[in-house]
Amino acid sequence: AQSVTQPDIHITVSEGASLELRCNYSYGATPYLFWYVQSPGQGLQLLLKYFSGDTLVQGIKGFEAEFKRSQSSFNLRKPSVHWSDAAEYFCAVEGTYKYIFGTGTRLKVLA
Amino acid sequence: IAGITQAPTSQILAAGRRMTLRCTQDMRHNAMYWYRQDLGLGLRLIHYSNTAGTTGKGEVPDGYSVSRANTDDFPLTLASAVPSQTSVYFCASSDPPGELFFGEGSRLTVL
């Protein structure tokens, strides 16, 4: 069965600083990987996804993620964080028609 | 606007009562899902359905049941609610392994 680990529960960065959120997955076959963002009191919005091909994928709002098969990782990055990026971020893996999520990382942005 | 509709938005329920959370999608997706979101635990899959007429158990199915009589509807029933089922419930749909689309959530409090 697939699983996802997001080791950082909370991350605080200053506005304008770079950001990296970690995600490790476990799945026996080629994974389909996703990052979602959830603003307070809202539903979840897709940031980006990896299916195959180029291991560096671009998403919305200036986010990108890199798939590293050797490390079973799919870390999310942003070169310069904006105050509006404060939210909770979830990594997910799809396998056998089920989507399994990590426990999330809550991002706080300091002005 | 196409999407997923969940009802009710919020509900307070006495323990032992029966409750059905409704979910309807108009995107003609084959697969539908129910998740619960709890602080520190992320989103956990309760039940899923790959296509109309079939359902499957997710990570935390106990105390919940679902049915999928047609493509559009996927209700979640709590036969006898308990306080530990206090949570925010999200319905979602997709054509796997594509993007998962979420409803706005149903906040349930069991007293």
Side-chain angles (χ1 to χ4, degrees):
Chain A
Q2 65 266 44
S3 66
V4 176
T5 300
Q6 293 182 247
D8 304 305
I9 298 173
H10 297 280
I11 284 186
T12 300
V13 299
S14 298
E15 191 170 20
S18 63
L19 173 69
E20 182 169 28
L21 302 183
R22 296 183 290 166
C23 172
N24 292 97
Y25 69 90
S26 173
Y27 186 57
T30 299
Y32 298 105
L33 297 161
F34 306 81
W35 275 100
Y36 284 84
V37 60
Q38 185 182 34
S39 297
Q42 304 294 313
L44 283 87
Q45 180 184 23
L46 180 71
L47 283 176
L48 48 78
K49 60 189 177 186
Y50 171 78
F51 285 0
S52 64
D54 192 347
T55 56
L56 184 64
V57 294
Q58 303 297 320
I60 62 172
K61 303 183 181 185
F63 285 92
E64 67 179 26
E66 186 171 12
F67 170 59
K68 293 185 177 180
R69 184 185 298 275
S70 62
Q71 298 177 19
S72 298
S73 69
F74 188 56
N75 294 349
L76 182 71
R77 301 194 295 248
K78 187 169 185 177
S80 178
V81 170
H82 188 264
W83 65 266
S84 61
D85 293 324
E88 190 155 22
Y89 293 80
F90 293 95
C91 182
V93 60
E94 188 277 342
T96 59
Y97 301 101
K98 290 186 287 187
Y99 297 75
I100 300 301
F101 285 79
T103 52
T105 298
R106 185 170 296 278
L107 175 66
K108 182 177 180 180
V109 180
L110 301 176
Chain B
I1 298 176
I4 294 182
T5 302
Q6 290 185 234
T9 303
S10 179
Q11 183 75 45
I12 298 174
L13 188 66
R17 297 298 295 270
R18 180 184 179 90
M19 178 71 192
T20 295
L21 303 180
R22 300 184 298 279
C23 175
T24 300
Q25 56 119 347
D26 61 4
M27 296 173 282
R28 308 302 293 174
H29 286 157
N30 285 317
M32 296 188 74
Y33 307 84
W34 274 105
Y35 291 88
R36 60 176 290 173
Q37 184 176 22
D38 303 288
L39 193 62
L41 298 176
L43 285 93
R44 293 180 292 170
L45 181 63
I46 303 171
H47 284 289
Y48 65 97
S49 169
N50 290 336
T51 188
T54 68
T55 62
K57 294 181 179 180
E59 302 166 277
V60 288
D62 294 344
Y64 305 94
S65 64
V66 291
S67 61
R68 188 89 183 277
N70 56 62
T71 298
D72 299 341
D73 301 300
F74 191 45
L76 176 74
T77 297
L78 290 67
S80 179
V82 296
S84 62
Q85 293 178 310
T86 293
S87 187
V88 180
Y89 292 85
F90 285 98
C91 181
S93 72
S94 76
D95 280 327
E99 177 184 354
L100 199 57
F101 291 84
F102 286 88
E104 292 298 309
S106 295
R107 183 175 295 275
L108 183 65
T109 301
V110 182
L111 301 177

